[in-house]
């Protein structure tokens, strides 16, 4: 049951991810990306990681994609104003994406990922209580550093967006 | 998963959907009646006795109007906008506990569709999804005013979501759970959260006014500046869906405020009633009374307070509500530390 669900969801995820790349209209691309994130949210749910699922839902679908949609709507992208990349740049893009894929495939093969979908050792780790305990005991320092990093990124963004510092 | 369970849930879901639609329908009438009262008029009184059939007449009117889809608008997205608004408005009710368990036919029937243990976050997720209905509709209309209104509305919703989330963190620190059912249970007797979290409730309420686009935060549909709002190009029932979703949202946010801060289905003297079914049913009635009082409050504010200017709205959200919510979190933390709850 959960295996076939996993394959179905993976198919949906990849299908919409491909549509993100192939869609002509940037707004449609962004909306397909929302669907991709939704499928990933469902993946978290079948891993019994309710908290991660709902956070993925709120942060990626509810906040980040809204902001991306927001900025695309203001840019008024269409065929005439779209900057055309030279073929050299396109070639470089293909090569770097291929390298990234090679790395990912290598990583999956190294971890021994075979035909069985990944399963958690402790199936309740994704619930709020357990996740909170792990985050605030074992991984407290990385967690705090990550939040400081986010804060400094935010301050930096505000500083860059401000025209006159005075 | 037996058949009885599925039937029970199906009946519950249909009943909740029907109740929320009917309440939203009659909220439109109540709104116009109260508007009439506040402005010293009669209000709608032609359709049926005391105008009671007015919502039906409105519905028939909207359904039979000509449907116009503007050229150069993406048809699919144009239809998706209002559908999404309506859909997100309806699915929030899934996690609200409407009452205590009923014992019928030898079964323990829970009056809550799904008791997921991240209930509060689920509500936030759905609220944040609601922005898409407005944005997609505004963009697909292929109209500058619609787009401007959609962008304005989206930025309003995003800004107030932050303060809303922060205000609720203080509450969650006290309750120690994200499940709406457990939060309701903890407030039995008169142990309501409003007495411990008055500031948090105030922030939450202001934010829910902003999230439902009600006055004084109804900038998404500002006739004087934007022709109509994100739904300028919409006609017939698609427009109706946008307007109706607002009333369902009002109902849902009243229900959430009632269950988070005002004791949910709890009422004083609950433990004195020996029959659990009767106690549960009175609880449901108490819950709906609280919801209706909140809906009245929404209407009352709408006909009393004028609309904010856009910069005032942003200032209130970012410079007043968010710092206040953070102060509230600190105060709650100190309270828990020194008094242990």
């Amino acid at each position: 049951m959960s295996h076939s669900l996993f394959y179905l969801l993976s198919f949906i995820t990849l299908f919409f991810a491909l549509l993100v790349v192939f869609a002509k209209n940037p707004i449609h691309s962004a909306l397909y990306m929302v669907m991709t994130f939704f499928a990933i949210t469902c993946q978290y749910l079948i891993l019994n990681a309710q908290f991660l699922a709902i956070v993925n839902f709120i942060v990626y679908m509810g906040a980040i994609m809204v902001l991306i949609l927001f900025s695309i709507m203001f840019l008024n992208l269409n065929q005439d104003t779209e900057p055309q990349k030279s073929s050299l740049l396109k070639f470089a893009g293909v090569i770097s994406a291929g390298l990234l894929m090679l790395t990912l495939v290598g990583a999956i093969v190294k971890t021994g990922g075979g035909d069985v979908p990944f399963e958690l050792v402790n199936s309740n780790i994704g619930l709020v209580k357990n996740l909170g305990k792990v985050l605030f005991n074992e991984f407290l320092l990385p967690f705090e550093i990550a939040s400081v990093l986010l804060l400094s990124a935010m301050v930096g963004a505000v500083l860059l967006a401000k025209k006159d510092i005075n | 998963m037996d058949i009885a369970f599925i039937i029970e849930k199906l009946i519950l879901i249909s009943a909740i959907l029907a109740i929320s639609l009917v309440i939203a329908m009659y909220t439109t009438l109540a709104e116009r009646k109260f508007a009439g009262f506040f402005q010293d008029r009669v209000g709608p009184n032609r359709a049926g006795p005391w105008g009671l059939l007015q919502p039906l007449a409105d519905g028939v009117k909207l359904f039979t109007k000509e449907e116009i889809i503007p050229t150069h608008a993406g048809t699919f997205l144009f239809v998706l906008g209002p559908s999404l608004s309506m859909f997100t408005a309806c699915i929030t009710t899934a996690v609200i506990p409407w009452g205590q368990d009923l014992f019928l036919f030898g079964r323990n029937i829970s009056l809550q569709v799904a008791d997921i243990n991240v209930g509060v976050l689920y509500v936030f997720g759905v609220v944040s999804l609601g922005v898409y209905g407005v944005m997609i509709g505004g963009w697909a209309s292929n109209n500058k005013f619609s787009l401007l209104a959609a962008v304005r509305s989206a930025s309003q919703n995003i800004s107030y979501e932050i303060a809303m989330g922060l205000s609720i963190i203080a509450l969650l620190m006290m309750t120690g759970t994200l499940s709406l059912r457990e939060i309701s249970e903890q407030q039995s007797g008169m142990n309501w959260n409003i007495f411990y979290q008055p500031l948090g409730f105030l922030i939450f309420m202001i934010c829910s006014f902003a999230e439902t686009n009600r006055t004084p935060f109804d900038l998404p549909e500002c006739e004087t500046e934007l022709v109509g709002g994100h739904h300028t190009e919409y006609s017939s029932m698609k427009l109706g869906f946008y307007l109706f979703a607002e009333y369902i949202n009002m109902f849902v946010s009243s229900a959430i405020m009632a269950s988070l801060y005002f004791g949910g289905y709890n009422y004083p003297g609950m433990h004195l009633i020996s029959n659990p079914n009767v106690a549960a049913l009175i609880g449901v009635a108490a819950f709906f009374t609280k919801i209706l009082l909140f809906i009245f409050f929404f209407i009352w504010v709408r006909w009393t307070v004028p609309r904010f200017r856009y910069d005032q709205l942003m200032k209130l959200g970012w410079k007043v509500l968010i710092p206040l919510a953070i102060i509230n979190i600190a105060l709650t933390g100190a309270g828990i530390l020194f008094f242990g709850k």
Side-chain angles (χ1 to χ4, degrees):
Chain A
M1 169 73 182
S2 102
H3 278 198
S4 47
L5 206 61
F6 169 78
Y7 285 117
L8 178 71
L9 280 173
S10 308
F11 172 74
I12 295 173
T13 315
L14 291 179
F15 180 73
F16 281 112
L18 285 176
L19 280 180
V20 173
V21 183
F22 290 122
K24 291 270 182 220
N25 188 325
I27 296 270
H28 292 174
S29 257
L31 292 175
Y32 288 133
M33 199 148 158
V34 175
M35 291 305 296
T36 314
F37 281 131
F38 185 67
I40 293 173
T41 302
C42 297
Q43 296 274 26
Y44 282 130
L45 275 183
I46 52 174
L47 281 174
N48 202 19
Q50 296 182 350
F51 184 69
L52 271 183
I54 210 82
V55 165
N56 189 57
F57 192 91
I58 295 175
V59 174
Y60 282 88
M61 283 177 71
I64 292 181
M65 285 318 294
V66 169
L67 286 180
I68 288 182
L69 211 58
F70 208 85
S71 35
I72 294 177
M73 281 180 182
F74 271 129
L75 288 179
N76 193 20
L77 291 175
N78 49 38
Q79 218 106 78
D80 314 323
T81 55
E82 196 181 349
Q84 293 296 320
K85 299 264 190 319
S86 67
S87 47
L88 184 70
L89 271 176
K90 283 180 186 164
F91 196 61
V94 168
I95 288 183
S96 51
L99 283 176
L100 180 66
M101 191 178 118
L102 208 66
T103 321
L104 287 178
V105 169
I108 292 170
V109 170
K110 253 279 173 11
T111 50
D115 23 51
V116 196
F118 183 68
E119 276 178 27
L120 292 171
V121 186
N122 175 7
S123 66
N124 285 331
I125 189 70
L127 301 184
V128 187
K129 216 159 241 165
N130 306 332
L131 196 69
K133 275 185 183 143
V134 172
L135 268 185
F136 282 96
N137 287 323
E138 280 174 57
F139 299 103
L140 182 61
L141 188 67
F143 184 65
E144 294 286 333
I145 289 175
S147 57
V148 171
L149 185 71
L150 284 176
L151 185 70
S152 55
M154 202 162 78
V155 172
V158 171
L159 205 67
L160 283 178
K162 232 179 149 155
K163 275 191 185 121
D164 47 338
I165 311 286
N166 314 318
Chain B
M1 267 238 243
D2 51 341
I3 300 290
F5 177 78
I6 295 174
I7 292 174
E8 173 196 313
K9 287 293 175 200
L10 269 180
I11 293 175
L12 186 67
I13 292 170
S14 326
I16 289 172
L17 205 57
I19 290 173
S20 44
L21 291 181
V22 168
I23 287 190
M25 232 167 93
Y26 275 91
T27 310
T28 60
L29 178 67
E31 173 130 75
R32 295 167 68 180
K33 278 280 183 193
F34 280 120
F37 174 71
F38 286 127
Q39 298 171 349
D40 208 7
R41 304 184 272 117
V42 182
N45 66 347
R46 296 290 99 180
W50 307 291
L52 276 181
L53 296 178
Q54 186 66 39
L56 284 180
D58 285 343
V60 169
K61 186 196 89 174
L62 280 172
F63 268 114
T64 50
K65 279 211 161 184
E66 188 190 356
E67 213 162 310
I68 301 164
I69 293 183
T71 47
H72 302 297
T75 316
F76 178 71
L77 289 182
F78 190 75
V79 179
L80 184 69
S83 321
L84 209 57
S85 273
M86 195 72 178
F87 177 70
T88 51
C90 288
I91 57 174
T92 325
T93 47
V95 291
I96 295 170
W98 302 98
Q100 283 176 310
D101 291 1
L102 286 177
F103 297 97
L104 288 178
F105 315 117
R107 291 178 53 82
N108 200 353
I109 296 172
S110 159
L111 288 183
Q112 183 184 21
V113 176
D115 182 21
I116 51 176
N117 65 14
V118 284
V120 177
L121 291 179
Y122 169 84
V123 173
F124 272 95
V126 175
V127 165
S128 59
L129 203 61
V131 183
Y132 282 109
V134 173
M135 283 190 90
I136 290 174
W139 183 77
S141 301
N142 196 25
N143 173 333
K144 285 194 181 92
F145 290 107
S146 296
L147 181 64
L148 275 179
V151 165
R152 208 157 100 154
S153 155
S155 49
Q156 169 184 330
N157 282 0
I158 295 173
S159 313
Y160 278 80
E161 256 166 45
I162 301 171
M164 197 180 208
L166 286 174
S167 76
I168 215 147
I169 283 177
L171 180 75
L172 297 178
M173 280 161 69
M174 275 176 47
T175 58
T177 174
L178 286 167
S179 152
L180 280 168
R181 172 160 218 95
E182 283 174 39
I183 292 177
S184 292
E185 269 164 16
Q186 286 173 0
Q187 306 179 63
S188 74
M190 281 302 280
N191 197 20
W192 294 357
N193 284 330
I194 174 75
F195 302 124
Y196 305 100
Q197 286 288 339
L199 183 60
F201 169 69
L202 193 69
I203 298 167
F204 187 84
M205 195 182 61
I206 294 173
C207 293
S208 49
F209 271 79
E211 292 291 325
T212 49
N213 300 337
R214 294 287 299 182
T215 320
F217 305 100
D218 60 342
L219 287 111
E221 37 182 314
C222 181
E223 299 86 356
T224 44
E225 294 160 22
L226 295 165
V227 187
H230 56 272
H231 46 54
T232 305
E233 294 288 339
Y234 281 87
S235 62
S236 113
M237 202 54 204
K238 291 204 284 299
L239 172 69
F241 267 18
Y242 268 132
L243 302 182
F244 203 56
E246 178 185 319
Y247 287 92
I248 301 178
N249 276 330
M250 241 165 87
F251 169 67
V252 169
S253 50
S254 302
I256 288 168
M257 280 192 282
S259 56
L260 283 182
Y261 289 97
F262 278 82
Y265 48 75
N266 293 298
Y267 52 96
M270 198 173 185
H271 56 280
L272 298 176
I273 298 166
S274 52
N275 187 337
N277 278 347
V278 176
L281 286 179
I282 297 177
V284 174
F287 190 45
F288 274 97
T289 314
K290 289 170 192 172
I291 292 174
L292 293 182
L293 284 175
F294 271 116
I295 290 180
F296 168 71
F297 187 69
F298 270 102
I299 295 171
W300 189 13
V301 169
R302 172 161 181 187
W303 298 104
T304 310
V305 184
R307 177 185 291 147
F308 276 122
R309 228 171 41 222
Y310 193 68
D311 59 319
Q312 291 172 328
L313 170 101
M314 281 298 158
K315 238 177 224 151
L316 179 71
W318 289 95
K319 294 190 177 166
V320 179
L321 290 181
I322 292 180
L324 265 184
I326 293 175
I327 290 172
N328 189 36
I329 291 176
L331 284 179
T332 312
I336 294 174
L337 190 65
F338 293 123
F339 306 111
K341 160 129 187 172

